[in-house]
Amino acid sequence: MARVRTGVRAVGALLAAVLGASLAGCSATGGKRAEDARKAAAAEGRAAVTTPRWTFAMVTHSGDGDTFWDIVQNGAKQAAVKDDINFLYAHSDEGQQQAQLVDSYIDKKVDGLIVTLAKPGAMKDAVAKATRAGIPVITVNSGSEESKSFGALTHIGQDETIAGEAVGDELDKRGRKKALCVLHEQGNVGHEQRCTGTGKTFDGQLQNLYVDGTNMPDVQASIEAKLQSDPSIDAVVTLGAPFADAAVQAKRSAQSKAEIDTFDLNAKVATALKAGDLGFAVDQQPYLQGYEAVDLLWLYRYNADVLGGGRPVLTGPQIITGEDAAELQDYTERGTR
């Protein structure tokens, strides 16, 4: 875990240095006057650059009502204001529909595309079509293994296998012996990688439970039934913040003593961590995924800059506990963590 966190800090420092240098280079005034102008523009919601008003589109595999993607969009929109970008967003949890949305943006001749590759087979041709059309593509969140071969400039997110391994290590530290990994979207390669990674480092027994993530009562009922039928389960790991609360409710109904842990962070998860209802959360910093994707597309259009050197730009994982939640709660409530 320490190695992963250090890598994330190093990437963050590099990004800050590159972004600071690029913004300073965009000003004709330079020095303190340039910095003062940049700060004033940001405070007033104005662009901090003088480049053309390019149009960037983001197409994700999000289902309706998934608050994780609200945080991603918050980051993307903030960067779009700073970089004077016209930002468009669309989503579908159906791979073919997601590809069609990408095609529609290609037809509109957008200046850059940000896509997720949760279902890479459905997205391969759409990404190839974009690159043939001369549209730069950055992948975020899912698809780090396919991103380069599909022709994307870089991938921004966490390595899902590494994140899963971090969860397995944390479960071992907490003395857990039998864990349930709850997958809420069948066919999502990132979810499979999370559970597989957990199993690699977890010394105990890990079972996968597939649920219908579009039906929260069904999610709760499925977890509750599993806990009732197997009292030896002492940990439940959900793969998204909205499903953590359902697992907590299922635990109470089943009168189970299992610890509930989750991937991803939001305001509800931060509150539950402080209250002790959750053991830990794995934060992949979705705000950064949206913000850096827009900013790196801008840097590429402006200066042909590419980060990563052929490897993903990591935004996680970071293990968050109740001790950390108080510090982060204000950020989660404003929708940036």
Side-chain angles (χ1 to χ4, degrees):
M1 277 306 301
R3 183 176 64 257
V4 174
R5 290 182 182 175
T6 300
V8 174
R9 286 198 297 269
V11 169
L14 176 59
L15 286 172
V18 171
L19 296 178
S22 66
L23 288 175
C26 291
S27 172
T29 57
K32 185 176 185 302
R33 289 177 60 194
E35 178 63 11
D36 289 345
R38 185 193 67 78
K39 289 180 179 179
E44 296 171 12
R46 294 186 288 107
V49 299
T50 57
T51 46
R53 186 168 173 78
W54 293 309
T55 295
F56 297 163
M58 176 183 284
V59 184
T60 75
H61 63 275
S62 169
D64 292 334
D66 190 337
T67 56
F68 176 91
W69 293 101
D70 294 339
I71 303 173
V72 175
Q73 287 187 76
N74 287 343
K77 290 175 180 176
Q78 184 63 42
V81 169
K82 177 178 67 69
D83 295 336
D84 196 22
I85 298 300
N86 178 33
F87 176 72
L88 307 175
Y89 179 81
H91 67 94
S92 175
D93 56 3
E94 295 293 334
Q96 195 58 44
Q97 179 64 28
Q98 186 188 359
Q100 290 172 3
L101 290 168
V102 171
D103 286 343
S104 72
Y105 284 132
I106 295 172
D107 292 341
K108 292 178 181 177
K109 296 180 169 52
V110 297
D111 300 295
L113 272 167
I114 303 160
V115 302
T116 60
L117 301 178
K119 297 172 182 175
M123 291 292 291
K124 184 176 182 179
D125 290 345
V127 174
K129 182 179 177 180
T131 58
R132 286 196 304 270
I135 300 173
V137 178
I138 286 179
T139 60
V140 298
N141 182 259
S142 56
S144 61
E145 295 182 0
E146 295 82 8
S147 177
K148 184 178 180 180
S149 64
F150 281 17
L153 297 176
T154 193
H155 178 83
I156 303 171
Q158 70 179 5
D159 183 299
E160 302 294 12
T161 300
I162 290 176
E165 291 172 354
V167 169
D169 286 338
E170 188 68 20
L171 291 173
D172 288 336
K173 290 177 184 177
R174 292 165 178 264
R176 303 300 161 182
K177 302 300 181 185
K178 192 170 187 179
L180 194 64
C181 196
V182 184
L183 298 96
H184 61 268
E185 183 182 342
Q186 292 199 36
N188 186 320
V189 294
H191 290 181
E192 297 286 348
Q193 289 166 350
R194 289 178 180 183
C195 291
T196 299
T198 300
K200 283 184 178 180
T201 55
F202 181 43
D203 293 335
Q205 181 181 349
L206 182 72
Q207 295 181 359
N208 287 354
L209 176 66
Y210 292 89
V211 298
D212 179 4
T214 64
N215 185 340
M216 202 61 76
D218 177 73
V219 173
Q220 181 176 331
S222 297
I223 298 173
E224 181 180 339
K226 190 67 177 177
L227 292 175
Q228 286 177 333
S229 65
D230 189 353
S232 65
I233 294 173
D234 58 8
V236 176
V237 180
T238 62
L239 302 187
F243 306 96
D245 185 60
V248 170
Q249 299 302 322
K251 168 186 174 177
R252 289 172 180 164
S253 298
Q255 296 183 333
S256 168
K257 295 182 179 179
E259 176 180 282
I260 309 299
D261 307 304
T262 191
F263 282 79
D264 301 335
L265 181 70
N266 63 14
K268 277 191 173 182
V269 168
T271 299
L273 286 168
K274 285 180 62 178
D277 293 329
L278 296 178
F280 66 88
V282 184
D283 186 18
Q284 60 176 304
Q285 302 185 98
Y287 182 88
L288 271 184
Q289 293 176 16
Y291 189 99
E292 298 302 347
V294 169
D295 221 26
L296 292 186
L297 274 179
W298 176 83
L299 282 166
Y300 180 78
R301 298 288 314 199
Y302 170 68
N303 203 45
D305 288 317
V306 178
L307 286 185
R311 295 174 179 261
V313 177
L314 298 183
T315 63
Q318 181 181 14
I319 298 294
I320 305 295
T321 66
E323 294 179 359
D324 308 307
E327 179 182 354
L328 298 177
Q329 191 162 20
D330 287 346
Y331 306 142
T332 64
E333 289 175 355
R334 76 182 183 190
T336 57
R337 285 296 292 266

